[in-house]
Amino acid sequence: MRKAAIPLLVLLLASCGSSKTDIMFECPSPSGAKIATLYRITSGDAPGDQEMRVNIRKAGSELDTDMVSFAFRHGYDAIIHWNSEQQITVEYPADAELTHQEPAVFGTSQSFSATDSISMSYQETPSTHGYFMVEKRCFNQP
């Protein structure tokens, strides 16, 4: 009986701390120089084990999941509006639990110009079970 418990314990310990990243969509800025990415980090099977995150970075650079501009739980969707090259609005589900919120993103932290910054604004929007019933989730104003 004791020998059977050891493989089970090893399996449980191996699964602890592991997470999975899924890119939901990417939204280019009006000039195409920057990319806003909505992605999901999953650390388990329960709804509370999922966190949605937004990352903004220079186009062509790799997603760094540690560079988070906005994050929430208990909502599974977002709508991104690039109002200009320096201003972005993120709509998120009304019942979501916010876990991280930046008022601005500075280029030095996101791999674009050190003198460049992006103003972030957020809008709580009604949703159906944490999802928006729309086809388009990415908008960029010319």
Side-chain angles (χ1 to χ4, degrees):
M1 178 112 151
R2 187 174 182 178
K3 288 182 182 181
I6 292 173
L8 181 60
L9 180 61
V10 170
L11 180 63
L12 287 172
L13 290 175
S15 66
C16 292
S18 64
S19 64
K20 180 181 174 194
T21 301
D22 296 302
I23 295 176
M24 308 312 285
F25 66 87
E26 295 191 316
C27 185
S29 65
S31 73
K34 300 173 192 112
I35 300 287
T37 302
L38 176 71
Y39 61 102
R40 175 179 56 208
I41 300 290
T42 307
S43 59
D45 294 331
D49 295 337
Q50 296 182 37
E51 185 174 64
M52 303 302 289
R53 297 179 179 178
V54 174
N55 167 282
I56 301 172
R57 66 190 185 286
K58 183 178 178 181
S61 63
E62 193 171 313
L63 174 67
D64 180 351
T65 58
D66 291 330
M67 301 303 282
V68 181
S69 303
F70 181 61
F72 57 94
R73 294 182 187 276
H74 308 295
Y76 309 99
D77 207 352
I79 298 173
I80 295 176
H81 299 267
W82 281 96
N83 303 317
S84 71
E85 201 68 21
Q86 288 77 35
Q87 208 283 324
I88 194 169
T89 300
V90 178
E91 291 183 58
Y92 62 92
D95 294 331
E97 172 193 341
L98 303 184
T99 57
H100 186 81
Q101 189 173 4
E102 297 285 335
V105 176
F106 296 95
T108 52
S109 67
Q110 300 291 333
S111 306
F112 47 93
S113 170
T115 59
D116 199 4
S117 67
I118 299 170
S119 171
M120 302 281 295
S121 61
Y122 305 95
Q123 181 177 334
E124 189 178 75
T125 304
S127 66
T128 302
H129 305 294
Y131 292 96
F132 298 118
M133 298 293 121
V134 296
E135 288 183 31
K136 191 167 182 179
R137 289 172 172 78
C138 178
F139 299 87
N140 56 14
Q141 307 291 323

